[in-house]
Amino acid sequence: MLADLAAVVGCCEPLAREPLSARQSTELARVFKAMGDPVRLRLLSLIASHAGGEACVCDLTDVFDLSGPTISHHLKVLREAGLITGERRGTWVYYRVRPELLDQLSAVLVPAAPDSPATMPADRDELPVVDA
Amino acid sequence: MLADLAAVVGCCEPLAREPLSARQSTELARVFKAMGDPVRLRLLSLIASHAGGEACVCDLTDVFDLSGPTISHHLKVLREAGLITGERRGTWVYYRVRPELLDQLSAVLVPAAPDSPATMPADRDELPVVDA
DNA sequence: CCTTTGGTTCGATAGACGTCGAAACAGGCG
DNA sequence: CGCCTGTTTCGACGTCTATCGAACCAAAGG
């Protein structure tokens, strides 16, 4: 669903440097909107902080007072926003975050982090395209 | 509306370090949701990148094919999320961003930026409380 | 004062979103 | 094969949200 964030945002153009184009803001907003829900944000955090960098859906469901389908729905939103990837291994489905995306978002927000690797365009101006 | 982000998120706890609590995710999601709209994201960018660090509403209205009330509504959402502040000076109302908030969000996203000032909790563990 | 211009609030409406239960799909395992 | 568990899809429903026009408030000048 989300094409390549770097391609749209120009990789690490801070929000405060120059106005976003309509296209850029649309793509970026898609990602922020995915994070604009408490459940999804918590899911993201649970996956990101889970041992091994990945979490099974069964681990996530028990944390909330929500039905299975609802959790699955939120995971799908996060997946389509490019924030996480899911992989089925046997019976269970494991999700892991895509740190590059978080790095990019972080870089967009902050005016100019001096020499943090998160803002060094060098080693990741080509992100894998995520689809569906 | 938004209390103190730092107080809730614990100031700079990265998303991937430990799972967010229900409360933390709720507060954070409020901010991300405010940014989860193309118009608002563009407004934020227009204000942040405007000369002098502030922009008059009259500057913002012309950029969009939207009615005045709609722009005003979006500005209110950004304001209540704590992302911008508005001040009336004479005839016009000027908006400016709150960079601390953007810094904090950036810090929450990235696992551990080595020595970027954006992630140094030292000089800003006390943020001004924004209300309405 | 009254008018004009800039911005916000109000009320209404169409569409999007979160949630659920039921049903469908996918793998193990008797 | 048939069942059982884990996960996703489907359809529906109530709520929230983006948008508008109309009305309203604030400041500046006649």
Side-chain angles (χ1 to χ4, degrees):
Chain A
M1 183 61 73
L2 175 69
D4 188 344
L5 189 58
V8 177
V9 193
C11 186
C12 316
E13 283 299 354
L15 229 167
R17 192 142 101 208
E18 54 180 333
L20 291 167
S21 70
R23 179 188 198 81
Q24 286 173 327
S25 55
T26 300
E27 292 297 327
L28 254 183
R30 193 199 311 279
V31 183
F32 282 127
K33 180 153 64 177
M35 292 194 292
D37 181 279
V39 176
R40 286 197 290 267
L41 212 46
R42 215 167 160 206
L43 282 171
L44 197 63
S45 167
L46 282 167
I47 297 171
S49 65
H50 200 267
E54 64 181 10
C56 165
V57 177
C58 54
D59 296 328
L60 305 171
T61 309
D62 304 339
V63 179
F64 305 90
D65 278 341
L66 293 173
S67 69
T70 298
I71 299 296
S72 189
H73 160 69
H74 285 305
L75 288 172
K76 184 179 185 179
V77 173
L78 289 173
R79 209 186 325 134
E80 290 181 341
L83 285 164
I84 61 176
T85 61
E87 180 198 1
R88 174 165 222 128
R89 286 204 301 276
T91 304
W92 294 280
V93 176
Y94 295 91
Y95 281 96
R96 50 176 59 240
V97 301
R98 308 197 340 126
E100 328 89 69
L101 210 2
L102 293 183
D103 285 348
Q104 287 189 354
L105 291 180
S106 175
V108 169
L109 291 181
V110 73
D115 52 76
S116 144
T119 60
M120 297 287 284
D123 53 354
R124 52 168 180 60
D125 41 1
E126 275 297 336
L127 274 188
V129 174
V130 59
D131 36 7
Chain B
M1 182 63 73
L2 176 69
D4 190 340
L5 190 57
V8 177
V9 193
C11 187
C12 318
E13 284 296 356
L15 230 168
R17 190 140 101 211
E18 54 180 333
L20 292 167
S21 71
R23 181 187 196 80
Q24 287 173 327
S25 56
T26 300
E27 291 298 327
L28 254 184
R30 195 198 310 278
V31 183
F32 282 128
K33 180 153 64 177
M35 292 195 293
D37 181 280
V39 175
R40 286 197 289 268
L41 212 46
R42 215 167 161 205
L43 282 171
L44 196 64
S45 167
L46 283 167
I47 297 171
S49 65
H50 201 266
E54 64 181 10
C56 166
V57 178
C58 55
D59 297 327
L60 304 171
T61 309
D62 304 339
V63 179
F64 305 89
D65 278 341
L66 293 173
S67 70
T70 298
I71 299 295
S72 190
H73 159 68
H74 285 304
L75 288 172
K76 184 179 186 180
V77 173
L78 289 173
R79 210 187 324 135
E80 290 181 341
L83 285 164
I84 61 174
T85 61
E87 180 199 1
R88 170 164 225 129
R89 287 205 301 275
T91 306
W92 295 280
V93 176
Y94 295 90
Y95 280 97
R96 50 177 59 238
V97 300
R98 309 199 335 128
E100 329 88 70
L101 209 3
L102 293 184
D103 285 348
Q104 286 189 355
L105 291 181
S106 175
V108 169
L109 291 181
V110 74
D115 53 74
S116 144
T119 60
M120 297 287 284
D123 53 354
R124 53 170 179 57
D125 42 0
E126 276 298 337
L127 273 189
V129 174
V130 60
D131 34 8

